Amino acid sequence: MDHVQDQDKANTEEMSKRIFPVVPTTKILAIGQFTKPPTPEQMKEIFPKEVPATLRLYLAGKIDQWWIRQTQTGPVFLLNVTSLKEARALMEKLPLGQAGLMKHEFIELGPLTPLHLLLNDGGSTAGK
């Protein structure tokens, strides 16, 4: 098993121990980090490709929102996808990913589960 599969397995085991109902993944947060600072030459070569490729993902509805970290060490994307596999594939296809200059941490997001406590039925339909 590779590191990604080990992490996915650990996340699944963690989810089975939760006290709140399981909710669907509705978005994924992708936090980018440069693997090493790009050289000026790499910036001239890759960034003119990276920006249009990222814009195409936004226009295709895959990126909901995007920001830059204040540290300038990478972008943060709120993705309109529900699987880690698709999120990884999208980020790896971007020019910085293909060049091995960008890695991402992925966080699955879903509806706020404690809200089920406000429902009269205790949230029995949460996750369905």
Side-chain angles (χ1 to χ4, degrees), residues 15-93:
M15 290 174 66
S16 67
K17 299 176 187 174
R18 294 183 178 174
I19 60 171
F20 295 114
V22 175
V23 296
T25 298
T26 56
K27 299 208 185 261
I28 295 184
L29 190 67
I31 302 170
Q33 177 78 37
F34 284 110
T35 56
K36 57 185 174 185
T39 65
E41 294 80 22
Q42 288 172 320
M43 289 182 72
K44 286 179 188 173
E45 178 188 339
I46 297 171
F47 277 73
K49 298 173 188 169
E50 181 78 12
V51 174
T54 305
L55 182 57
R56 279 193 277 288
L57 288 178
Y58 173 77
L59 293 172
K62 297 295 184 179
I63 295 176
D64 187 337
Q65 297 180 40
W66 50 7
W67 305 272
I68 186 68
R69 295 168 61 165
Q70 290 290 357
T71 58
Q72 300 290 313
T73 55
V76 177
F77 298 107
L78 183 60
L79 302 174
N80 287 322
V81 300
T82 59
S83 78
L84 291 172
K85 183 178 179 180
E86 183 178 5
R88 280 189 196 98
L90 290 172
M91 296 295 103
E92 288 171 1
K93 286 180 186 174

